[in-house]
Amino acid sequence: MRSEMLNSILSDLNGSSADIEASAVLSTDGLMMASMLPGGMDEDRVGAMSAAMLSLGDRTAEELARGALEQVLIKGARGYILMTHAGNEAVVTVLAKPNARLGLIFLDVKRAAENIGKII
């Protein structure tokens, strides 16, 4: 039941913008809970890297006195990776196209993370 609800939220998130290519919900220790990733993308690798980056972001924000971490954004030549907390137990990771309108994606991801946080 919970996995169906998470998949529904991810489906809505992916459908909210043509700029979003993939998304996933992971536990804070990197275990995949739900995903809408392209075929051939290793879920375990996505989970481990997302958890590591969010943990590093948390520590960096704390050590540099920037307050509570809201999100981690990585920009690569082929697009963006956005990670944010969904409650205390989960992480939402989104892959977006290089020309994505980030403001709209930030808003959609924030809403999805809030909904996921309520379920978990």
Side-chain angles (χ1 to χ4, degrees):
M1 176 75 175
R2 183 175 84 167
S3 119
E4 292 172 7
M5 294 171 72
L6 294 175
N7 280 323
S8 175
I9 292 170
L10 291 181
S11 179
D12 290 345
L13 176 61
N14 286 17
S16 69
S17 170
D19 293 334
I20 295 176
E21 296 179 313
S23 60
V25 179
L26 315 127
S27 67
T28 52
D29 57 357
L31 299 174
M32 192 66 65
M33 299 169 83
S35 72
M36 297 197 76
L37 299 174
M41 189 171 282
D42 185 354
E43 287 186 350
D44 292 334
R45 181 172 290 192
V46 171
M49 287 189 283
S50 295
M53 287 301 300
L54 205 64
S55 176
L56 182 59
D58 278 331
R59 180 152 184 211
T60 302
E62 181 182 325
E63 293 290 329
L64 299 178
R66 299 294 98 188
L69 179 71
E70 291 185 22
Q71 62 191 15
V72 173
L73 177 66
I74 299 169
K75 181 180 181 192
R78 290 190 227 132
Y80 295 93
I81 305 161
L82 174 64
M83 290 162 267
T84 189
H85 286 287
N88 294 327
E89 303 295 322
V91 176
V92 177
T93 298
V94 172
L95 305 179
K97 295 179 180 176
N99 58 350
R101 292 175 286 164
L102 292 177
L104 295 173
I105 291 175
F106 291 159
L107 182 62
D108 291 339
V109 170
K110 182 178 179 180
R111 287 181 186 152
E114 288 171 356
N115 290 334
I116 290 166
K118 291 175 187 173
I119 293 170
I120 294 178

